[in-house]
Amino acid sequence: MLSVGIVGLPNVGKSTLFNALTRGHQADAQNYPFCTINPNVGVVEVPDERLAKLAEISKSKKIVPTAIKFVDIAGLVAGASKGEGLGNQFLSHIRETDAIVQVVRSFSDSNVVHVSGKVNPAEDADVINLELALADLQTVSKRLSGVKKSAKGLPAGRHGAAAKETEKEIGLLERVRAHLEKGSAVRELDFDEEEKKIVSELCLLTMKPMLYVVNSDEAGVAAPLVKSGVEQIVICAKLEAELADLSEIEARQYLKESGMGETGLDKLIKSSYKLLDLVTFLTSGEPETRAWTVRRGAKSPEAAGVIHTDFIKGFIKADVIDWQDFVALGGWGKIKESGKMRLEGKDYVVRDGDVIYFHVNV
C-alpha cells in the first residue's frame, strides 16, 4: 500500500490532522515540540460515491473501498539536514513514504507555541523545503563524488561506452546539484527516461510529489501561501477533528447546515490519492462491490494481479464498462444484452471508473 507522509514544523497541527484522518487512531498532540517522535501510521479509506450506486444495482452484500496509508512524522526544525532536533530520524521517515503532505500553520493561538515565535505559513514552508533540499544536496554530492572517482579508471575513445554513460551521469548530477543549491525542489526539473531512472535510485526527498495543507482557524481564513506548481488545501484541523468525533448522520447534518459538500478531510484524502498518481477500477457483484487501486498507466493483467497475483499469468481477457453505464444499464446481465460491454486484452490501459470482470485461467 502506498503511503503519504504528513510533515511540517512542530506545533502546526500535524498530529491533530492525523487523528482526524484516522479517527480511532490517536497520535500524541501536545503543546510542545517533538511530542511525536516515532511516526504514527494509519490506513484511511478513500471516499468514493460510486461504490454505493454500484452496490445498489448489484444488490451487493458489502462494500469495500480502497485505502491509502498516512504517516504522521515528527516535527522538523531549521538545521534538520545537519541533525538538529530529530533531523536524521525525521528525514529517514520521509524517505520511506511515496508522497508528502506538508502542513503549515495559519491559525493564531496564544496557548499553542510556534517554534519561530510568529505565524507565517509561507516561512514555515520555506524552512521545510530548504531542509529537504539541503538533505538532497548531501545525497547528490556524495553520489557525484563517487561517480567522478570511478570515472578516472574508465577507458576513453570509441570503446569507452561506459565512460560516455558516466559522463552523462556526471552532467545530470551537476545539474541537479546546482538546482538544489538554490534551495529548489528536484521535482521541478525535466528528465528523459534514462535520467529518471538514475534520479529515482537516489530516493530524493524533493522528488516526491507534494501538496500543502494550510491549517487555518475555524472561520477557514488562511494567510496566503504562494508556491507555484504545488496544490494547496485550506483545512481547520481542529474543526475536522471535532467532525470526526460525530456520528455519520450528525456529520452529514452539520455539512448540510454549513453548506459544505464534503469535509476538508475528504478533499485531502482524494487529493492525496491523486498525488500518488493512482486510478481506481471497480468490481461489482452480489457478494461485494469493491474499489481497487493501480498506478496510472497500468494494463489489465497488472490490474487483475491486484486482486490475486496468479491472475497476472492466467489473464485471458476482461469485460469492461464505465461505472456510469453500469448503473444506467442495470448491471452485468443487462449490459451483456445491450451489446455495450467491451472485451479488452492484455494491452488495455485501465481507466479510472472502469468496472471490470476478469477472465482468467488458474
Side-chain angles (χ1 to χ4, degrees), residues 228-239:
S228 61
V230 180
E231 183 182 357
Q232 171 183 331
I233 299 174
V234 178
I235 289 179
C236 174
K238 182 182 177 183
L239 176 61

Side-chain angles (χ1 to χ4, degrees), residues 59 67 173 270 336:
K59 295 180 171 55
L173 293 173
K270 291 177 181 179
K336 291 174 182 177

Side-chain angles (χ1 to χ4, degrees), residues 2 50 270-281 292-300 302-303 306 348-354:
L2 297 178
R50 299 172 295 192
K270 291 177 181 179
S271 293
S272 299
Y273 191 79
K274 182 180 176 183
L275 191 67
L276 291 166
D277 204 23
L278 302 174
V279 297
T280 299
F281 72 90
W292 306 85
T293 297
V294 289
R295 289 276 196 184
R296 189 174 304 279
K299 294 184 179 180
S300 44
E302 184 180 341
V306 174
Y348 176 70
V349 176
V350 174
R351 301 172 190 165
D352 189 75
D354 279 346

